[in-house]
Amino acid sequence: MIRKQEITTFEFPENAIIWDVRDSSAYAEAHVKGAVNQPISGLSADSLTQVSTDQPIYILCGGGSKAPRAAELLEGYDSSREYVILMGGTRAARDAGLALEQGA
């Protein structure tokens, strides 16, 4: 199941699995605190083995175009999971004053 959530009104649950699907250089420039870099180009069914099946996977990108594509791709591998697209991505998070980190 894929659902959408505005990143600016979202409260990250403790131990949330957050995947930033941008390339590694964009991720290193700035990313949401706690996000793990999982470039869309490298996503596969094996990527999902890293996450318990009962945990939602929160997906974001820079502005909102890659995250929906990544969620659809992942849902194709396992439609029983919950995927949450964080709308607005890193840019909206930055504009809203959310904590961002730099580096890999």
Side-chain angles (χ1 to χ4, degrees):
M1 171 180 89
I2 298 175
R3 64 183 177 90
K4 296 177 180 179
Q5 171 73 49
E6 288 293 330
I7 196 166
T8 55
T9 59
F10 180 66
E11 291 188 28
F12 293 96
E14 193 173 330
N15 300 319
I17 304 299
I18 308 163
W19 285 1
D20 186 322
V21 297
R22 297 174 298 154
D23 64 45
S24 58
S25 61
Y27 173 83
E29 283 179 24
H31 55 271
V32 171
K33 186 176 180 177
V36 175
N37 191 214
Q38 291 279 8
I40 192 170
S41 61
L43 292 177
S44 68
D46 284 344
S47 304
L48 295 172
T49 63
Q50 303 170 39
V51 180
S52 174
T53 57
D54 63 345
Q55 273 194 294
I57 298 174
Y58 299 93
I59 303 168
L60 61 88
C61 57
S65 62
K66 286 184 180 143
R69 288 197 322 252
E72 288 176 17
L73 180 67
L74 291 168
E75 188 176 51
Y77 296 132
D78 186 348
S79 62
S80 68
R81 292 176 175 262
E82 181 180 8
Y83 306 99
V84 182
I85 300 167
L86 297 174
M87 300 302 292
T90 305
R91 281 191 286 270
R94 181 192 61 225
D95 293 348
L98 296 177
L100 298 181
E101 297 179 329
Q102 292 181 325

Tab-separated table of all heavy atoms in Angstrom, residues 22-73:
chain	number	residue	atom	x	y	z
A	22	ARG	N	17.516	9.787	-3.613
A	22	ARG	CA	18.350	10.578	-4.518
A	22	ARG	C	19.718	9.927	-4.671
A	22	ARG	O	20.084	9.031	-3.914
A	22	ARG	CB	18.523	12.002	-3.973
A	22	ARG	CG	17.205	12.754	-3.875
A	22	ARG	CD	17.377	14.088	-3.212
A	22	ARG	NE	17.847	13.912	-1.836
A	22	ARG	CZ	18.539	14.811	-1.163
A	22	ARG	NH1	18.864	15.963	-1.716
A	22	ARG	NH2	18.918	14.588	0.082
A	23	ASP	N	20.510	10.408	-5.635
A	23	ASP	CA	21.863	9.873	-5.785
A	23	ASP	C	22.711	10.298	-4.580
A	23	ASP	O	22.346	11.200	-3.817
A	23	ASP	CB	22.493	10.283	-7.116
A	23	ASP	CG	22.707	11.784	-7.255
A	23	ASP	OD1	23.192	12.430	-6.305
A	23	ASP	OD2	22.392	12.312	-8.329
A	24	SER	N	23.854	9.644	-4.442
A	24	SER	CA	24.663	9.843	-3.232
A	24	SER	C	25.197	11.264	-3.081
A	24	SER	O	25.338	11.752	-1.960
A	24	SER	CB	25.811	8.831	-3.185
A	24	SER	OG	26.614	8.953	-4.333
A	25	SER	N	25.486	11.952	-4.183
A	25	SER	CA	26.011	13.313	-4.054
A	25	SER	C	24.926	14.278	-3.554
A	25	SER	O	25.189	15.129	-2.709
A	25	SER	CB	26.620	13.806	-5.366
A	25	SER	OG	25.659	13.848	-6.385
A	26	ALA	N	23.696	14.141	-4.053
A	26	ALA	CA	22.600	14.994	-3.572
A	26	ALA	C	22.297	14.687	-2.106
A	26	ALA	O	22.071	15.596	-1.303
A	26	ALA	CB	21.357	14.782	-4.431
A	27	TYR	N	22.335	13.421	-1.741
A	27	TYR	CA	22.114	13.015	-0.352
A	27	TYR	C	23.173	13.633	0.560
A	27	TYR	O	22.853	14.147	1.633
A	27	TYR	CB	22.144	11.487	-0.270
A	27	TYR	CG	22.098	10.941	1.133
A	27	TYR	CD1	20.892	10.794	1.807
A	27	TYR	CD2	23.263	10.557	1.794
A	27	TYR	CE1	20.847	10.281	3.100
A	27	TYR	CE2	23.233	10.037	3.078
A	27	TYR	CZ	22.017	9.909	3.721
A	27	TYR	OH	21.969	9.397	5.009
A	28	ALA	N	24.428	13.605	0.136
A	28	ALA	CA	25.515	14.121	0.960
A	28	ALA	C	25.417	15.630	1.164
A	28	ALA	O	25.821	16.145	2.210
A	28	ALA	CB	26.868	13.766	0.337
A	29	GLU	N	24.853	16.348	0.188
A	29	GLU	CA	24.707	17.803	0.315
A	29	GLU	C	23.798	18.159	1.484
A	29	GLU	O	24.098	19.062	2.253
A	29	GLU	CB	24.140	18.394	-0.976
A	29	GLU	CG	25.150	18.508	-2.077
A	29	GLU	CD	24.535	19.081	-3.350
A	29	GLU	OE1	23.506	19.785	-3.277
A	29	GLU	OE2	25.098	18.798	-4.420
A	30	ALA	N	22.671	17.475	1.602
A	30	ALA	CA	21.739	17.709	2.712
A	30	ALA	C	20.652	16.650	2.669
A	30	ALA	O	20.113	16.346	1.611
A	30	ALA	CB	21.114	19.095	2.615
A	31	HIS	N	20.354	16.085	3.835
A	31	HIS	CA	19.283	15.099	3.932
A	31	HIS	C	18.599	15.195	5.292
A	31	HIS	O	19.157	15.737	6.238
A	31	HIS	CB	19.805	13.678	3.683
A	31	HIS	CG	20.941	13.294	4.588
A	31	HIS	ND1	22.257	13.536	4.260
A	31	HIS	CD2	20.960	12.704	5.801
A	31	HIS	CE1	23.039	13.102	5.242
A	31	HIS	NE2	22.267	12.596	6.193
A	32	VAL	N	17.395	14.689	5.341
A	32	VAL	CA	16.620	14.694	6.577
A	32	VAL	C	17.331	13.824	7.606
A	32	VAL	O	17.839	12.743	7.283
A	32	VAL	CB	15.190	14.153	6.305
A	32	VAL	CG1	14.425	13.931	7.597
A	32	VAL	CG2	14.436	15.111	5.392
A	33	LYS	N	17.376	14.313	8.820
A	33	LYS	CA	18.032	13.578	9.900
A	33	LYS	C	17.424	12.179	10.023
A	33	LYS	O	16.211	12.030	10.084
A	33	LYS	CB	17.873	14.347	11.212
A	33	LYS	CG	18.641	13.746	12.346
A	33	LYS	CD	18.548	14.590	13.600
A	33	LYS	CE	19.339	13.931	14.690
A	33	LYS	NZ	19.356	14.708	15.912
A	34	GLY	N	18.276	11.186	10.025
A	34	GLY	CA	17.831	9.805	10.165
A	34	GLY	C	17.580	9.087	8.854
A	34	GLY	O	17.360	7.876	8.841
A	35	ALA	N	17.617	9.814	7.745
A	35	ALA	CA	17.377	9.182	6.441
A	35	ALA	C	18.611	8.397	5.995
A	35	ALA	O	19.742	8.800	6.235
A	35	ALA	CB	17.022	10.223	5.393
A	36	VAL	N	18.362	7.277	5.333
A	36	VAL	CA	19.409	6.424	4.786
A	36	VAL	C	19.376	6.567	3.269
A	36	VAL	O	18.300	6.561	2.670
A	36	VAL	CB	19.173	4.946	5.190
A	36	VAL	CG1	20.175	4.030	4.524
A	36	VAL	CG2	19.206	4.796	6.700
A	37	ASN	N	20.539	6.684	2.655
A	37	ASN	CA	20.594	6.817	1.198
A	37	ASN	C	20.362	5.466	0.530
A	37	ASN	O	21.095	4.515	0.763
A	37	ASN	CB	21.948	7.399	0.793
A	37	ASN	CG	22.006	7.830	-0.652
A	37	ASN	OD1	23.037	7.721	-1.284
A	37	ASN	ND2	20.927	8.345	-1.204
A	38	GLN	N	19.301	5.400	-0.253
A	38	GLN	CA	18.952	4.214	-1.041
A	38	GLN	C	18.613	4.718	-2.442
A	38	GLN	O	17.435	4.854	-2.777
A	38	GLN	CB	17.728	3.495	-0.439
A	38	GLN	CG	17.971	2.826	0.871
A	38	GLN	CD	18.638	1.463	0.700
A	38	GLN	OE1	19.040	1.075	-0.375
A	38	GLN	NE2	18.758	0.743	1.788
A	39	PRO	N	19.618	5.028	-3.272
A	39	PRO	CA	19.332	5.587	-4.595
A	39	PRO	C	18.337	4.735	-5.378
A	39	PRO	O	18.414	3.503	-5.354
A	39	PRO	CB	20.699	5.606	-5.273
A	39	PRO	CG	21.681	5.660	-4.151
A	39	PRO	CD	21.055	4.843	-3.053
A	40	ILE	N	17.419	5.411	-6.064
A	40	ILE	CA	16.378	4.718	-6.814
A	40	ILE	C	16.988	3.743	-7.825
A	40	ILE	O	16.434	2.667	-8.064
A	40	ILE	CB	15.415	5.726	-7.486
A	40	ILE	CG1	14.174	5.005	-8.022
A	40	ILE	CG2	16.115	6.543	-8.543
A	40	ILE	CD1	13.075	5.952	-8.482
A	41	SER	N	18.142	4.104	-8.370
A	41	SER	CA	18.780	3.249	-9.371
A	41	SER	C	19.234	1.908	-8.801
A	41	SER	O	19.427	0.951	-9.544
A	41	SER	CB	19.972	3.968	-9.995
A	41	SER	OG	20.934	4.268	-8.996
A	42	GLY	N	19.390	1.825	-7.485
A	42	GLY	CA	19.852	0.588	-6.863
A	42	GLY	C	18.777	-0.201	-6.142
A	42	GLY	O	19.060	-1.245	-5.545
A	43	LEU	N	17.536	0.280	-6.187
A	43	LEU	CA	16.472	-0.420	-5.472
A	43	LEU	C	16.152	-1.752	-6.139
A	43	LEU	O	16.089	-1.848	-7.361
A	43	LEU	CB	15.200	0.437	-5.415
A	43	LEU	CG	15.280	1.692	-4.547
A	43	LEU	CD1	13.979	2.474	-4.635
A	43	LEU	CD2	15.600	1.349	-3.107
A	44	SER	N	15.949	-2.770	-5.307
A	44	SER	CA	15.613	-4.102	-5.809
A	44	SER	C	14.822	-4.828	-4.729
A	44	SER	O	14.654	-4.319	-3.618
A	44	SER	CB	16.889	-4.879	-6.123
A	44	SER	OG	17.586	-5.173	-4.918
A	45	ALA	N	14.391	-6.005	-5.046
A	45	ALA	CA	13.687	-6.818	-4.043
A	45	ALA	C	14.606	-7.079	-2.855
A	45	ALA	O	14.148	-7.142	-1.705
A	45	ALA	CB	13.214	-8.125	-4.667
A	46	ASP	N	15.903	-7.201	-3.107
A	46	ASP	CA	16.857	-7.414	-2.018
A	46	ASP	C	16.905	-6.235	-1.054
A	46	ASP	O	17.191	-6.407	0.131
A	46	ASP	CB	18.264	-7.670	-2.571
A	46	ASP	CG	18.422	-9.080	-3.122
A	46	ASP	OD1	17.576	-9.942	-2.822
A	46	ASP	OD2	19.388	-9.299	-3.863
A	47	SER	N	16.638	-5.022	-1.554
A	47	SER	CA	16.632	-3.838	-0.685
A	47	SER	C	15.638	-4.013	0.451
A	47	SER	O	15.862	-3.557	1.572
A	47	SER	CB	16.262	-2.585	-1.486
A	47	SER	OG	17.109	-2.395	-2.580
A	48	LEU	N	14.531	-4.668	0.152
A	48	LEU	CA	13.471	-4.826	1.148
A	48	LEU	C	13.834	-5.803	2.255
A	48	LEU	O	13.243	-5.765	3.329
A	48	LEU	CB	12.171	-5.260	0.464
A	48	LEU	CG	11.582	-4.216	-0.484
A	48	LEU	CD1	10.415	-4.800	-1.259
A	48	LEU	CD2	11.145	-2.980	0.287
A	49	THR	N	14.829	-6.658	2.036
A	49	THR	CA	15.209	-7.620	3.071
A	49	THR	C	15.846	-6.937	4.275
A	49	THR	O	15.965	-7.539	5.328
A	49	THR	CB	16.168	-8.693	2.513
A	49	THR	OG1	17.389	-8.056	2.093
A	49	THR	CG2	15.543	-9.449	1.344
A	50	GLN	N	16.231	-5.663	4.115
A	50	GLN	CA	16.847	-4.909	5.210
A	50	GLN	C	15.825	-4.432	6.238
A	50	GLN	O	16.198	-3.954	7.300
A	50	GLN	CB	17.551	-3.675	4.653
A	50	GLN	CG	18.590	-3.961	3.608
A	50	GLN	CD	19.062	-2.681	2.945
A	50	GLN	OE1	19.221	-1.656	3.594
A	50	GLN	NE2	19.264	-2.724	1.641
A	51	VAL	N	14.533	-4.526	5.894
A	51	VAL	CA	13.490	-3.927	6.725
A	51	VAL	C	12.458	-4.989	7.089
A	51	VAL	O	11.993	-5.742	6.229
A	51	VAL	CB	12.792	-2.779	5.951
A	51	VAL	CG1	11.707	-2.139	6.795
A	51	VAL	CG2	13.809	-1.742	5.508
A	52	SER	N	12.087	-5.024	8.358
A	52	SER	CA	11.041	-5.930	8.809
A	52	SER	C	9.757	-5.683	8.012
A	52	SER	O	9.427	-4.540	7.708
A	52	SER	CB	10.792	-5.694	10.302
A	52	SER	OG	9.699	-6.457	10.742
A	53	THR	N	9.047	-6.738	7.683
A	53	THR	CA	7.858	-6.610	6.838
A	53	THR	C	6.740	-5.803	7.488
A	53	THR	O	5.872	-5.297	6.789
A	53	THR	CB	7.302	-7.986	6.442
A	53	THR	OG1	7.022	-8.731	7.626
A	53	THR	CG2	8.294	-8.744	5.571
A	54	ASP	N	6.759	-5.664	8.810
A	54	ASP	CA	5.688	-4.917	9.479
A	54	ASP	C	6.033	-3.440	9.694
A	54	ASP	O	5.248	-2.691	10.244
A	54	ASP	CB	5.323	-5.569	10.815
A	54	ASP	CG	6.477	-5.578	11.809
A	54	ASP	OD1	7.635	-5.344	11.392
A	54	ASP	OD2	6.224	-5.826	12.992
A	55	GLN	N	7.205	-3.004	9.228
A	55	GLN	CA	7.605	-1.602	9.367
A	55	GLN	C	7.317	-0.833	8.093
A	55	GLN	O	7.712	-1.264	7.012
A	55	GLN	CB	9.099	-1.489	9.670
A	55	GLN	CG	9.430	-1.570	11.134
A	55	GLN	CD	10.859	-1.120	11.361
A	55	GLN	OE1	11.800	-1.755	10.917
A	55	GLN	NE2	11.013	-0.019	12.070
A	56	PRO	N	6.658	0.323	8.205
A	56	PRO	CA	6.492	1.157	7.013
A	56	PRO	C	7.839	1.694	6.560
A	56	PRO	O	8.740	1.910	7.373
A	56	PRO	CB	5.591	2.307	7.480
A	56	PRO	CG	5.271	2.064	8.903
A	56	PRO	CD	6.060	0.898	9.391
A	57	ILE	N	7.964	1.905	5.264
A	57	ILE	CA	9.163	2.526	4.713
A	57	ILE	C	8.762	3.916	4.229
A	57	ILE	O	7.888	4.059	3.380
A	57	ILE	CB	9.749	1.691	3.552
A	57	ILE	CG1	10.156	0.305	4.060
A	57	ILE	CG2	10.951	2.421	2.933
A	57	ILE	CD1	10.610	-0.646	2.962
A	58	TYR	N	9.393	4.931	4.818
A	58	TYR	CA	9.135	6.319	4.451
A	58	TYR	C	10.123	6.693	3.353
A	58	TYR	O	11.327	6.478	3.508
A	58	TYR	CB	9.285	7.229	5.673
A	58	TYR	CG	8.308	6.874	6.753
A	58	TYR	CD1	8.642	5.988	7.778
A	58	TYR	CD2	7.013	7.403	6.741
A	58	TYR	CE1	7.725	5.639	8.754
A	58	TYR	CE2	6.096	7.057	7.717
A	58	TYR	CZ	6.458	6.178	8.716
A	58	TYR	OH	5.538	5.837	9.668
A	59	ILE	N	9.617	7.237	2.253
A	59	ILE	CA	10.439	7.494	1.077
A	59	ILE	C	10.388	8.979	0.730
A	59	ILE	O	9.306	9.566	0.666
A	59	ILE	CB	9.938	6.664	-0.118
A	59	ILE	CG1	9.926	5.172	0.244
A	59	ILE	CG2	10.800	6.919	-1.353
A	59	ILE	CD1	9.198	4.309	-0.754
A	60	LEU	N	11.577	9.556	0.510
A	60	LEU	CA	11.613	10.955	0.086
A	60	LEU	C	12.726	11.143	-0.914
A	60	LEU	O	13.594	10.289	-1.092
A	60	LEU	CB	11.780	11.896	1.275
A	60	LEU	CG	13.032	11.778	2.126
A	60	LEU	CD1	14.149	12.633	1.573
A	60	LEU	CD2	12.750	12.199	3.536
A	61	CYS	N	12.664	12.280	-1.587
A	61	CYS	CA	13.695	12.655	-2.555
A	61	CYS	C	13.950	14.147	-2.365
A	61	CYS	O	13.729	14.675	-1.283
A	61	CYS	CB	13.267	12.290	-3.977
A	61	CYS	SG	11.695	13.017	-4.493
A	62	GLY	N	14.396	14.815	-3.402
A	62	GLY	CA	14.692	16.239	-3.277
A	62	GLY	C	13.455	17.108	-3.282
A	62	GLY	O	13.300	18.001	-2.455
A	63	GLY	N	12.561	16.845	-4.220
A	63	GLY	CA	11.388	17.703	-4.340
A	63	GLY	C	10.085	16.967	-4.548
A	63	GLY	O	9.024	17.564	-4.493
A	64	GLY	N	10.147	15.689	-4.809
A	64	GLY	CA	8.905	14.944	-4.903
A	64	GLY	C	8.668	14.163	-6.176
A	64	GLY	O	7.607	13.578	-6.334
A	65	SER	N	9.641	14.103	-7.092
A	65	SER	CA	9.392	13.349	-8.323
A	65	SER	C	9.899	11.906	-8.261
A	65	SER	O	9.258	11.004	-8.795
A	65	SER	CB	10.006	14.067	-9.528
A	65	SER	OG	11.409	14.156	-9.377
A	66	LYS	N	11.023	11.675	-7.592
A	66	LYS	CA	11.578	10.321	-7.531
A	66	LYS	C	10.886	9.443	-6.489
A	66	LYS	O	10.779	8.234	-6.679
A	66	LYS	CB	13.078	10.365	-7.219
A	66	LYS	CG	13.922	10.801	-8.371
A	66	LYS	CD	15.396	10.736	-8.022
A	66	LYS	CE	16.202	11.183	-9.213
A	66	LYS	NZ	17.363	11.947	-8.829
A	67	ALA	N	10.455	10.020	-5.393
A	67	ALA	CA	9.859	9.223	-4.318
A	67	ALA	C	8.631	8.431	-4.777
A	67	ALA	O	8.529	7.242	-4.477
A	67	ALA	CB	9.530	10.099	-3.111
A	68	PRO	N	7.684	9.033	-5.512
A	68	PRO	CA	6.541	8.240	-5.980
A	68	PRO	C	6.961	7.098	-6.912
A	68	PRO	O	6.420	5.992	-6.819
A	68	PRO	CB	5.665	9.256	-6.719
A	68	PRO	CG	6.033	10.574	-6.130
A	68	PRO	CD	7.501	10.455	-5.806
A	69	ARG	N	7.953	7.355	-7.767
A	69	ARG	CA	8.443	6.291	-8.661
A	69	ARG	C	9.084	5.173	-7.849
A	69	ARG	O	8.891	3.987	-8.136
A	69	ARG	CB	9.449	6.850	-9.668
A	69	ARG	CG	8.820	7.718	-10.727
A	69	ARG	CD	9.731	7.931	-11.928
A	69	ARG	NE	11.134	8.088	-11.613
A	69	ARG	CZ	11.820	9.231	-11.699
A	69	ARG	NH1	11.214	10.335	-12.082
A	69	ARG	NH2	13.092	9.270	-11.409
A	70	ALA	N	9.846	5.530	-6.825
A	70	ALA	CA	10.489	4.530	-5.979
A	70	ALA	C	9.450	3.696	-5.235
A	70	ALA	O	9.580	2.473	-5.139
A	70	ALA	CB	11.438	5.205	-4.987
A	71	ALA	N	8.412	4.350	-4.727
A	71	ALA	CA	7.359	3.630	-4.002
A	71	ALA	C	6.654	2.633	-4.927
A	71	ALA	O	6.386	1.496	-4.534
A	71	ALA	CB	6.357	4.608	-3.406
A	72	GLU	N	6.376	3.052	-6.156
A	72	GLU	CA	5.724	2.151	-7.112
A	72	GLU	C	6.636	0.968	-7.442
A	72	GLU	O	6.178	-0.171	-7.544
A	72	GLU	CB	5.336	2.909	-8.379
A	72	GLU	CG	4.172	3.851	-8.155
A	72	GLU	CD	3.834	4.678	-9.393
A	72	GLU	OE1	4.271	4.301	-10.513
A	72	GLU	OE2	3.131	5.691	-9.243
A	73	LEU	N	7.916	1.237	-7.606
A	73	LEU	CA	8.875	0.180	-7.882
A	73	LEU	C	8.912	-0.831	-6.732
A	73	LEU	O	8.820	-2.044	-6.944
A	73	LEU	CB	10.256	0.806	-8.093
A	73	LEU	CG	11.419	-0.129	-8.393
A	73	LEU	CD1	11.240	-0.796	-9.748
A	73	LEU	CD2	12.722	0.650	-8.369
